Amino acid sequence: PETGLITACDVGPGNTGDTDAAPGLIEDEPAGTEILGDTGYSSGELRDHLERRGMVPVIKPQPLARAIPGGFTLDDFNVDLEAMTVTCPEQITVAISPKARTARFGTACDSCPVRQQCTTAKNGRTIKVHPHHRLLAAARVFAQTEEFDDTYRSLRPMIERTIAWLVANNSRRLRYRGVERNQLGWSHRCAAVNLKRILNLGLDYDGGWTITPAIKAIPAA
């Protein structure tokens, strides 16, 4: 990603999320590949796909919602997936229902001294446990480490710059009708952006094509 070069592109339905398109774009990458992404790629389903492929996600997790501003988040609760229980900050433990994957604290919240930091629900706090909770919770922990921060912050600027080049000159809008024609047009644009980037990296010909170490400033045609 530090080169700014694009290795795969695709066009799909406008109502398809980033995480639905991602597996196809990385299907040729080997196990052990680091996959960078912003919160648009932070779903548990994609993380599960990457784990099964033996890939390493460096993906910024979605921030947790708070039922009450300044109150508790899911990470303040202890979710035990082996025992299928959830324990709240006041050490009250309830079971997770197997089918709905829901933990209901119900009347236990009635006399809780920190209820005002937890819920305004009449029937007490309810925790919905995501099918990929383990991966999502681990991602939030990893995102707080220097290892994540060093990789994400150092490589994200170049990735964002590449995206800006791709969508410049009103290129967020489709030019044709039909997926196939737009796929061809998008592939051509990605190839053109790559060529310009390679020239700026120092593409030269001296009996063969090479990339020189020095960065050259090549004006746009």
Side-chain angles (χ1 to χ4, degrees):
E2 65 274 7
T3 65
L5 296 176
I6 303 142
T7 60
C9 67
D10 198 8
V11 172
N15 60 354
T16 299
D18 293 340
T19 56
D20 296 322
L25 295 175
I26 59 174
E27 63 181 352
D28 294 329
E29 300 297 331
T33 301
E34 275 189 333
I35 305 297
L36 276 76
D38 60 19
T39 54
Y41 295 92
S42 65
S43 74
E45 289 73 18
L46 179 59
R47 292 181 186 277
D48 178 63
H49 176 81
L50 297 178
E51 182 178 63
R52 287 187 281 107
R53 289 283 310 276
M55 295 179 170
V56 182
V58 184
I59 300 173
K60 190 174 183 180
Q62 288 278 3
L64 288 173
R66 298 178 186 271
I68 293 176
F72 299 128
T73 70
L74 177 61
D75 284 344
D76 293 308
F77 291 74
N78 179 28
V79 179
D80 188 333
L81 295 176
E82 290 187 4
M84 288 297 284
T85 60
V86 177
T87 302
C88 77
E90 286 296 293
Q91 303 306 306
I92 297 170
T93 300
V94 298
I96 302 171
S97 61
K99 291 185 178 180
R101 299 185 66 87
T102 301
R104 302 181 184 277
F105 287 87
T107 57
C109 296
D110 291 347
S111 58
C112 179
V114 294
R115 180 186 175 116
Q116 69 277 6
Q117 295 175 253
C118 190
T119 184
T120 58
K122 180 180 178 180
N123 296 324
R125 182 69 182 259
T126 298
I127 299 290
K128 182 75 172 179
V129 181
H130 194 281
H132 300 298
H133 171 82
R134 174 183 62 84
L135 295 173
L136 294 170
R140 291 191 291 271
V141 173
F142 179 47
Q144 302 302 314
T145 65
E146 288 187 10
E147 180 184 357
F148 175 92
D149 205 46
D150 289 346
T151 302
Y152 191 80
R153 288 184 180 274
S154 64
L155 296 175
R156 182 178 179 180
M158 187 70 252
I159 296 170
E160 295 289 351
R161 200 169 300 141
T162 302
I163 294 172
W165 293 333
L166 282 171
V167 300
N169 302 317
N170 205 31
S171 293
R172 287 186 182 274
R173 298 178 63 87
L174 296 179
R175 296 178 181 271
Y176 314 103
R177 289 186 179 274
V179 172
E180 290 186 8
R181 294 175 109 191
N182 282 296
Q183 176 67 65
L184 183 61
W186 187 239
S187 298
H188 284 172
R189 180 163 184 82
C190 290
V193 169
N194 274 348
L195 179 58
K196 183 178 179 181
R197 178 60 181 159
I198 291 172
L199 289 171
N200 284 330
L201 288 172
L203 181 67
D204 200 1
Y205 188 84
D206 184 11
W209 291 107
T210 60
I211 296 289
T212 59
I215 299 296
K216 295 182 178 179
I218 308 294

